[in-house]
Amino acid sequence: TSFFFFKQKTAYEISACLVGSEMCIRDRRRVHGDKQLLKPKKEKVMSGLQKYNHLFSKLKLGDFELKNRIVMSPLTRCRADKRTCVPNELHVEYYSQRASAGLIITECSQVTPISQAFPGAAGIHSEEQAQGWKAVTDAVHNNGGKIFLQIWHGGRACHPFNLNGIAPLAPSPLAIRAKAHTAEGSKWHETPREMTEEDIQNVIREFRVGAENALKAGFDGLELHAANGYLIDSFIRDWTNRRQDKWGGSVENRGRLCLAVIDELIAVFGPGRIGIRFSPVGRTNDMYDNDPISTYTYLVSELDKRNIAYIHFLEPDERWEHNANSPYFKNAEAQIPSCIDAFRKYFRNAFMDNVEYTAESAEETIAAGRAELISFGRPYMSNPDLVERFANEWPLTKPLLQYSYTPGARGYTCLLYTSDAADDLLCVDLGGRRIIKKKN
């Protein structure tokens, strides 16, 4: 494959593609001719800034002012060392590339080695991990961004194969009826161990230590992962919490662990730097609640009393229809058509929403006062300059999902290639230091 070099430009102006066996370097706005890079027309206005004026407006969020309402959603990408779980130079480049977002929320970061559900996810339970994250936060801050750590315990979504044979923890001994990702491929989830009172108190302390490490690492705040069937979520919802003690049964008891952990995070960071993520009708990891309105009305009201900065909702969508293993589960949208609408009156601070948003639908939601922030997940995988693309109304690049969890730069910080089979790697660097590089 031939490479064509050209005068240095920013990645906002350059993209590349394959046409058959040939590679074309193209200006984002137009490609003509053979091996010709055309000079772009001068942009007169950033039309998206006017069209999406609510999305691009500033927001006072807790202790901070955000420069826009566009949030990079947490995205687990598994690029850390699988043994140490320490963030590395790839993480520094990846997150700093996306610093134009109003707020970055990191991948879920485990608070203990036995809470690791994704081999290669970067942790927050060791000094070495905190130092690795410090390089990330420094780079994001140097680029003018703000970054929260999503703090997390995998609970029953963990697999013993990834935990050196240790059984995962859960409120009740119910296995997820699906397969887990391991280093040896997919394996059926195993039955978790029901947590004792000592286990629960240990987890609360581990979240406190994780928060202290995150503060040392320079994070602006924390988002507690209380969604998608992980430990906190599995205590909240009645399908997975069958306990008869003070940690199960009533809505208040099922919400007890979530609020205890939130209180520990507040003690370290203060309420204005804390958020939480919920999926009240999410089916990920075999989850369900019989009365999510009552369950989350209680939790949202309690979080309002604590004056945390925001609540981040995962809304129902077509991916969360009937669980194939549980035909008696009600349709998610039938339970709650819109989480931000259902719980708006119970919370005075910011709502962040996530459900396959576009710039247009995000603008509509914010303009209507239904939410203050919109998070974008998959678009940020392949569009580090998502803010600039929205501002200029440039088209979005589709993510290459085959590289979602694979090691290395391909599909992570380097998004364009000579071909899927080739070892040569084409990379667009957002800092303008290099345009093309070859792997090794």
Side-chain angles (χ1 to χ4, degrees), residues 299-315:
L299 282 169
V300 169
S301 300
E302 287 296 313
L303 293 167
D304 183 70
K305 294 175 186 177
R306 287 161 171 80
N307 198 31
I308 67 169
Y310 70 85
I311 297 176
H312 186 182
F313 284 111
L314 287 167
E315 297 283 1

Side-chain angles (χ1 to χ4, degrees), residues 138-406:
D138 285 347
V140 170
H141 292 150
N142 288 340
N143 283 356
K146 289 184 170 58
I147 182 167
F148 276 34
L149 179 83
Q150 189 184 64
I151 196 166
W152 167 72
H153 190 300
R156 72 178 191 144
C158 301
H159 194 283
F161 185 88
N162 298 327
L163 306 179
N164 295 319
I166 299 172
L169 300 177
S172 302
L174 298 170
I176 296 173
R177 294 168 297 178
K179 290 185 177 182
H181 297 289
T182 76
E184 290 188 351
S186 296
K187 295 179 180 291
W188 284 101
H189 279 282
E190 298 186 9
T191 303
R193 179 169 65 82
E194 182 173 306
M195 294 174 70
T196 65
E197 178 69 24
E198 182 180 5
D199 291 328
I200 293 171
Q201 295 302 326
N202 284 340
V203 163
I204 294 171
R205 284 191 291 270
E206 287 161 352
F207 271 102
R208 173 65 179 253
V209 172
E212 291 170 346
N213 286 337
L215 188 65
K216 295 176 187 175
F219 282 101
D220 297 304
L222 298 172
E223 179 180 278
L224 176 61
H225 198 338
N228 292 348
Y230 301 115
L231 186 69
I232 302 300
D233 191 26
S234 66
F235 267 85
I236 291 171
R237 294 200 258 179
D238 60 10
W239 171 251
T240 45
N241 188 341
R242 312 288 179 86
R243 301 176 74 95
Q244 300 299 315
D245 59 5
K246 69 178 184 178
W247 303 99
S250 68
V251 171
E252 293 81 6
N253 284 352
R254 285 185 280 117
R256 191 184 303 276
L257 178 61
C258 175
L259 296 175
V261 171
I262 280 288
D263 288 340
E264 293 296 329
L265 306 186
I266 289 173
V268 177
F269 273 85
R273 298 206 278 167
I274 299 298
I276 191 168
R277 196 180 212 199
F278 286 141
S279 56
V281 290
R283 303 293 184 251
T284 302
N285 285 321
D286 197 14
M287 292 299 295
Y288 186 73
D289 190 86
N290 282 290
D291 187 4
I293 291 290
S294 296
T295 298
Y296 288 90
T297 294
Y298 169 72
L299 282 169
V300 169
S301 300
E302 287 296 313
L303 293 167
D304 183 70
K305 294 175 186 177
R306 287 161 171 80
N307 198 31
I308 67 169
Y310 70 85
I311 297 176
H312 186 182
F313 284 111
L314 287 167
E315 297 283 1
D317 66 20
E318 65 275 7
R319 294 172 297 171
W320 291 359
E321 296 299 327
H322 294 295
N323 186 313
N325 295 317
S326 306
Y328 46 86
F329 283 179
K330 292 180 182 177
N331 175 276
E333 194 167 352
Q335 285 192 300
I336 302 180
S338 168
C339 295
I340 54 176
D341 294 338
F343 303 112
R344 175 77 276 180
K345 63 182 178 181
Y346 303 110
F347 191 72
R348 78 190 99 158
N349 292 335
F351 271 1
M352 184 187 301
D353 207 30
N354 180 289
V355 58
E356 300 294 311
Y357 274 99
T358 63
E360 289 80 5
S361 59
E363 172 69 17
E364 291 172 1
T365 296
I366 294 172
R370 299 174 62 217
E372 286 69 38
L373 295 158
I374 302 298
S375 69
F376 297 87
R378 286 188 178 184
Y380 260 117
M381 293 173 66
S382 52
N383 301 278
D385 55 342
L386 186 66
V387 171
E388 290 74 19
R389 294 198 183 208
F390 284 167
N392 290 282
E393 295 197 276
W394 290 334
L396 302 187
T397 301
K398 293 181 180 180
L400 297 170
L401 299 179
Q402 67 268 37
Y403 301 119
S404 295
Y405 309 111
T406 54

